[in-house]
Amino acid sequence: MYIRRTLRPTRPLRVSGVLLAAAALLISACSSGSSTTSTATADAVLAALPSSTPSTLSRYYGQKLNWRTCGVPGFECATMKAPLDYAKPASGDVRLAVARKKATGPGKRLGSLLVNPGGPGGSAVGYLQQYAGVGYPAEVRARYDMVAVDPRGVARSEPVECLTGRQMDTYTQTDTTPDDKKETGQLVDAYKKFAEGCGRRSPDLLRHLSTVEAARDMDILRAVLGDQKLTYVGASYGTFLGATYAGLFPDRVGRVVLDGAMDPQLTARKLNQDQTAGFETAFQSFAKDCVRQSDCPLGGTGTSPEQVGKNLKAFFQQLDKAPIPAGDADGRKLGEALATTGVIAAMYDESAWPQLREALTAAMQEKDGAGLLALSDSYYERDADGRYANLMFANAAVNCLDLPAAFATPDQVEKALPAFEKASPVFGEGLAWASLNCAYWPVKPTGEPHRIEAKGAAPILVVGTTRDPATPYPWARSLASQLSSGTLLTYVGDGHTAYGRGSACIDSTINRYLLQGTPPTKGKRCS
């Protein structure tokens, strides 16, 4: 599963984010459209940890951070230690990168505000320095020290590694809509090589990258920063991380915002199928808008969204047979896998739709795949030199540890294809096959679907967007109902997550909660 958050307000499209295993090969993950219902599949409830800190962890909770400048004006950085294995704290440490920007004033300082953009695998430090620390509302930055920690295995925090850049280029181009047994075998081999690479390069770390462990790391940071309660804004997968924290430490919950919420009680297969429907919902919105524009290459005025989808699917099938040039210095061409990823990347933010229309026009009419390749590269965080961030490695590592695999064999995927294709005629087949990636993971999962109730926690604000492609709105409804102190805030609109998207209603409601601790009235909706 991979759910990503768009870093606003940067352009061109920049995604960084949350749970799917990643379009094409890695986009599998979690979603559903506004018409999808999240059905409970778990009876287990995440149990709170003892309120007292174990003596074996005292050296971590008592550590002092050595803050230093780190190349970005106004920000400080430090390194925090946490136990690699919480069950055996003496067995070794993991070093976590932390960054902060102190409260600017005026007004009384309210403490630290920890932010996480999602993923799993998104760099929270990068998000803080590129957006949250400079782009969050001024009144919030005035009262809080803005803080981020890259979760274990992510970016600057002992990143998990799996493949070289060249190997990732091959991996991301692998056909995820196999037409025969040979192509199915090639896809399985790609998943196996990816998993083997992770196991070979990061064998010890790979066993300790769960969301529960990352949430426990956050509590150490809370204590080290001197805060009695955790104040937190998590987006996309960051909502799962934040909700997990609340379930483990309900008495330490301060003001917590979960924007673009995940539903922790769903199985990996249900999450993936829901997210498939979510991308279809987003595509339907794009299709309706596209045919009203003079530059839409998928149909003109009056063309139904269903026909627009068929036209796009037909284009993907052409690319499957004959990839087109993309002007890439490394010789990559635009095939079906990369093109699909590019389209999905643009579904996260409606402001990217004009860019997508332009890219599709160039590819379909001029046989120039550069625009869609650029969208795909932004999704995978591949730079111009062919280097990939560790986003996708960490993404798979966390997902495959948090839940049992959606499918164990290709035969199971084939049996599930009708359900996925019903959820999305355009993306269903590829996302079903992408859900197979954890089947070959070298480490057994340690998590399972569960409810999070966080009994005794202060009010928690859950935010859901009605046409969110990556974290379907029903997930937000479900999480808010699970949390004993959850309040649901609804954004009626398109795109992934709501805070900072341009809705004055959403922003003012969240700001009031962060600054005053006052959640909105029950059932509040914004547009």
Side-chain angles (χ1 to χ4, degrees):
M1 298 170 287
Y2 192 71
I3 305 165
R4 339 195 49 158
R5 173 161 173 86
T6 299
L7 298 185
R8 290 184 279 273
T10 57
R11 294 293 180 268
L13 181 67
R14 172 73 173 160
V15 285
S16 170
V18 155
L19 246 207
L20 181 83
L25 283 185
L26 291 174
I27 261 183
S28 85
C30 347
S31 233
S32 112
S34 58
S35 62
T36 303
T37 300
S38 286
T39 304
T41 60
D43 296 323
V45 178
L46 181 64
L49 291 171
S51 56
S52 60
T53 301
S55 59
T56 53
L57 299 179
S58 59
R59 71 182 182 95
Y60 297 104
Y61 276 82
Q63 67 186 293
K64 303 295 183 182
L65 297 183
N66 180 24
W67 293 102
R68 62 191 184 279
T69 59
C70 49
V72 181
F75 291 87
E76 299 175 302
C77 293
T79 300
M80 186 187 84
K81 292 182 180 180
L84 176 65
D85 184 350
Y86 276 90
K88 300 176 181 178
S91 64
D93 300 336
V94 59
R95 294 176 177 268
L96 307 177
V98 182
R100 75 176 177 187
K101 186 177 184 183
K102 289 187 176 179
T104 57
K108 181 181 178 181
R109 179 182 173 277
L110 295 175
S112 305
L113 172 55
L114 189 64
V115 296
N116 183 281
S123 172
V125 170
Y127 175 70
L128 176 73
Q129 294 176 339
Q130 296 171 32
Y131 175 63
V134 294
Y136 265 36
E139 57 268 39
V140 173
R141 291 183 285 116
R143 306 287 298 281
Y144 285 101
D145 290 347
M146 301 293 295
V147 180
V149 56
D150 279 349
R152 51 177 61 204
V154 174
R156 300 164 178 83
S157 294
E158 299 193 19
V160 61
E161 299 291 343
C162 300
L163 302 177
T164 67
R166 289 297 180 112
Q167 289 172 329
M168 273 297 288
D169 280 347
T170 299
Y171 182 74
T172 59
Q173 294 177 79
T174 304
D175 187 359
T176 52
T177 56
D179 299 318
D180 52 37
K181 293 297 183 182
K182 179 181 178 180
E183 290 187 352
T184 299
Q186 291 171 343
L187 180 58
V188 168
D189 286 344
Y191 287 140
K192 288 181 177 179
K193 289 178 181 178
F194 185 94
E196 290 167 358
C198 298
R200 182 174 62 255
R201 295 180 179 219
S202 305
D204 297 327
L205 186 62
L206 217 58
R207 292 173 171 78
H208 298 288
L209 296 176
S210 70
T211 297
V212 165
E213 289 164 310
R216 298 190 70 173
D217 295 342
M218 285 178 14
D219 194 56
I220 293 177
L221 179 58
R222 173 204 57 78
V224 169
L225 292 172
D227 294 317
Q228 294 299 311
K229 306 278 187 178
L230 180 76
T231 301
Y232 175 83
V233 176
S236 202
Y237 162 81
T239 67
F240 181 41
L241 182 58
T244 298
Y245 180 92
L248 295 174
F249 306 102
D251 58 329
R252 299 173 192 172
V253 169
R255 300 168 188 178
V256 170
V257 178
L258 306 178
D259 183 14
M262 290 185 58
D263 185 350
Q265 66 183 343
L266 302 182
T267 64
R269 174 172 172 174
K270 176 60 175 170
L271 288 168
N272 286 323
Q273 189 172 326
D274 275 4
Q275 193 174 58
T276 299
F279 279 107
E280 181 65 24
T281 296
F283 179 76
Q284 293 281 315
S285 292
F286 165 75
K288 292 174 183 176
D289 178 78
C290 186
V291 298
R292 292 196 292 263
Q293 312 300 325
S294 61
D295 62 342
C296 180
L298 296 170
T301 303
T303 305
S304 68
E306 291 74 21
Q307 186 59 49
V308 170
K310 290 178 181 179
N311 294 342
L312 180 61
K313 185 70 173 178
F315 173 60
F316 286 160
Q317 291 171 344
Q318 292 174 15
L319 292 176
D320 187 32
K321 297 176 182 178
I324 61 176
D328 181 58
D330 294 313
R332 292 177 301 159
K333 291 188 175 182
L334 184 75
E336 181 183 17
L338 292 175
T340 302
T341 305
V343 172
I344 284 179
M347 294 298 101
Y348 284 87
D349 192 334
E350 68 272 23
S351 68
W353 292 354
Q355 184 181 350
L356 177 59
R357 292 197 306 271
E358 181 180 353
L360 284 169
T361 298
M364 297 176 72
Q365 299 179 7
E366 302 166 19
K367 303 299 180 184
D368 178 2
L372 283 175
L373 182 63
L375 283 167
S376 177
D377 284 349
S378 73
Y379 191 94
Y380 285 121
E381 294 196 358
R382 181 192 191 272
D383 66 23
D385 294 324
R387 294 187 296 261
Y388 288 77
N390 95 305
L391 172 67
M392 292 302 169
F393 308 144
N395 180 264
V398 175
N399 288 331
C400 296
L401 201 59
D402 275 350
L403 286 174
F407 300 108
T409 66
D411 287 344
Q412 290 181 1
V413 177
E414 290 178 351
K415 291 179 181 178
L417 282 176
F420 275 76
E421 290 178 319
K422 180 180 180 180
S424 175
V426 178
F427 306 116
E429 181 183 6
L431 293 182
W433 283 106
S435 306
L436 183 63
N437 71 317
C438 287
Y440 310 102
W441 204 244
V443 177
K444 292 183 179 180
T446 57
E448 62 178 4
H450 57 270
R451 292 174 56 81
I452 299 179
E453 297 178 352
K455 292 182 178 179
I460 296 172
L461 182 56
V462 179
V463 187
T465 298
T466 56
R467 295 186 294 277
D468 190 318
T471 49
Y473 180 66
W475 291 358
R477 286 204 312 255
S478 178
L479 180 60
S481 68
Q482 291 173 48
L483 292 167
S484 62
S485 60
T487 296
L488 178 64
L489 172 63
T490 298
Y491 173 55
V492 182
D494 296 294
H496 182 38
T497 72
Y499 192 36
R501 183 169 291 281
S503 168
C505 174
I506 287 289
D507 292 353
S508 62
T509 301
I510 293 176
N511 292 345
R512 185 181 309 110
Y513 170 72
L514 289 173
L515 296 172
Q516 301 174 15
T518 306
T521 57
K522 184 177 181 180
K524 185 174 179 64
R525 296 170 71 87
C526 296
S527 58

